[in-house]
Amino acid sequence: MPPVLARRDLRKLVRKLGVDCRPGEQKQALATIAALCGDGNPENLAAIAAAGAVHPLVQLLGPASAAGVQQLAAGSLMFLGDKPENAAAIAEAGAIPPLVLLLAPGSHGQVQSNAAGALWQLAMHAHYASTIAGAGAIPPLVALLGPDSTSGMHQNATGALWQIALNAENAAVTIAAAGAIPPLVALLGPASPPNVKQFAAGALMVLCHHSDNEARITAAGAIPPLVQLLDPATPIPMQQNAAGALVVLSRSAENAASIAAAGAIPLLVRLIGPGSSSLMHQHAAGTLMNLAADAVISLTIASSGAIASLVALLGSSTLAQVQHNAAGALMGLATNADTAVVIVAAGAIPELERLMQPESDDVPKPTAARALAALRGPVDDGAEDEVEEGDDDDEEDEALEQGLGSLAV
């Protein structure tokens, strides 16, 4: 990591970024600042912003600058924007419109990539994400997803689109309408670097929360590559985003069958084990819950060793949505009498009863009640316990809608 420059040296560099300086001095100062930003020393990043670099860097994005100057200025802003306070200064200095213009097809590829990267940093903040979308960034960002772009362009464009979809109202619809879904699905493939796959899966995870997009994503062939990303050899954030997309897609019976046929069940069962995060548990258990609604698939889930882990989630998780999803999966599995016996033997009933206690969270209660009813029916030789109905039906429907597609970022 490079040494921290003295404030007076940084101020001298920043002054040389001005339009009144000689082009040679300006370019050399810009190259020095860009190198310092790219090296990632947090003290230097803070000091460069404090020295007043943001405004002249934004000015250098304009059409009067050469491509090399635009590239270095956009790259510097990309790294500076990693800090929230710098992101605010960059946006307030008017950077968004010129950055969007730099995405245009006439720009040099590295200029486009750095502009997309700077917009990605800004789009992590909801207010700026909406401004970026309103400035017309979505179509040119989608254009950067194509096969002729570099991996760096793919990474920055997918990252920007993910954050815009997540943080800007109605942007998911606009992104899909701009034709993003097929290239995002293509970027899940083996030729893409890990970061590109992760960000593409994250973008699809957000997009599939809209019913029209869900059908488009499935039609584009997303299910097999998303299932492949659950493999333990892939980085955990990639697995998490893929599981977050699959939990939404699996709400369709047809998609659930495709997910199971693609080999997801053993991978999902592994993800509900003790080594996973609560969010991973939520996504994986939610997908298994949706898959278990199919009688044939439920037998495969049970035979894959899911029962013990699902029962463990009822007691070990402090996240109500995980408990709800685990209870829902057990409820689906319990429709088979033999499987219900195994679930009871694994200790599910005391855990489900605990979830019904007044002090427990309300989210898993309706599903826990249904799971108990499903278990006690076949196990007690057909004896039926009365489960209070009425308003619980509405509560269960609401609980089933909550969190099944919670976002992973």
Side-chain angles (χ1 to χ4, degrees):
M1 187 173 289
V4 179
L5 292 189
R7 289 185 179 182
R8 64 177 180 275
D9 294 331
L10 284 174
R11 286 195 293 268
K12 288 179 183 178
L13 285 173
V14 169
R15 282 197 296 269
K16 291 179 180 179
L17 297 179
V19 293
D20 297 333
C21 290
R22 288 179 292 182
E25 288 186 345
Q26 184 188 66
K27 189 172 182 180
Q28 184 175 3
L30 178 59
T32 302
I33 287 175
L36 289 169
C37 291
D39 283 326
N41 185 316
E43 294 183 50
N44 275 338
L45 290 174
I48 289 167
V54 168
H55 188 269
L57 286 171
V58 171
Q59 297 302 307
L60 292 175
L61 299 174
S65 297
V69 171
Q70 293 172 332
Q71 174 184 333
L72 292 175
S76 299
L77 292 169
M78 174 176 64
F79 290 110
L80 287 170
D82 186 50
K83 296 177 71 66
E85 59 270 27
N86 291 348
I90 291 166
E92 290 166 9
I96 290 174
L99 286 170
V100 171
L101 289 176
L102 292 180
L103 299 174
S107 296
H108 185 276
Q110 193 56 52
V111 174
Q112 293 174 312
S113 182
N114 287 358
L119 290 169
W120 174 16
Q121 297 291 353
L122 299 179
M124 293 182 185
H125 309 274
H127 176 69
Y128 305 135
S130 297
T131 304
I132 292 166
I138 289 173
L141 285 170
V142 171
L144 296 183
L145 302 179
D148 294 333
S149 295
T150 65
S151 60
M153 294 161 75
H154 285 157
Q155 174 176 306
N156 291 340
T158 53
L161 287 168
W162 178 14
Q163 294 304 314
I164 293 170
L166 184 65
N167 293 318
E169 187 176 0
N170 297 323
V173 175
T174 307
I175 290 169
I181 289 173
L184 285 171
V185 172
L187 290 174
L188 299 176
S192 296
N195 280 354
V196 173
K197 294 180 189 178
Q198 177 187 335
F199 303 150
L204 290 168
M205 175 179 62
V206 181
L207 295 181
C208 70
H209 281 263
H210 296 262
S211 56
D212 291 343
N213 291 348
E214 185 177 339
R216 292 173 180 171
I217 290 167
T218 302
I223 287 175
L226 285 171
V227 170
Q228 290 173 9
L229 296 187
L230 299 180
D231 188 275
T234 62
I236 289 174
M238 194 187 306
Q239 296 176 44
Q240 191 161 279
N241 288 352
L246 289 170
V247 72
V248 180
L249 296 176
S250 63
R251 293 183 295 194
S252 155
E254 183 178 353
N255 289 348
S258 298
I259 291 167
I265 290 173
L267 299 171
L268 291 166
V269 171
R270 180 187 66 84
L271 292 176
I272 60 173
S276 297
S277 67
S278 293
L279 187 57
M280 191 80 85
H281 284 157
Q282 177 176 328
H283 291 330
T287 307
L288 289 171
M289 177 178 70
N290 294 336
L291 297 183
D294 181 283
V296 175
I297 297 175
S298 70
L299 293 176
T300 305
I301 295 171
S303 65
S304 298
I307 292 172
S309 294
L310 289 169
V311 172
L313 288 181
L314 298 176
S316 63
S317 179
T318 57
L319 191 63
Q321 192 60 51
V322 173
Q323 296 168 336
H324 161 74
N325 291 355
L330 291 169
M331 178 178 67
L333 298 179
T335 57
N336 178 275
D338 293 335
T339 303
V341 172
V342 178
I343 294 171
V344 172
I349 286 181
E351 295 295 347
L352 291 166
E353 289 176 336
R354 183 183 60 79
L355 295 179
M356 298 296 298
Q357 297 303 309
E359 64 272 15
S360 296
D361 195 286
D362 288 339
V363 170
K365 284 180 180 177
T367 314
R370 298 298 183 113
L372 282 168
L375 289 171
R376 286 170 171 160
V379 172
D380 290 345
D381 298 323
E384 293 184 1
D385 283 5
E386 292 293 327
V387 178
E388 190 172 319
E389 297 289 350
D391 291 342
D392 278 357
D393 284 336
D394 294 334
E395 291 177 12
E396 181 183 7
D397 290 340
E398 182 180 352
L400 287 169
E401 292 170 1
Q402 291 176 353
L404 294 184
S406 294
L407 306 182
V409 296

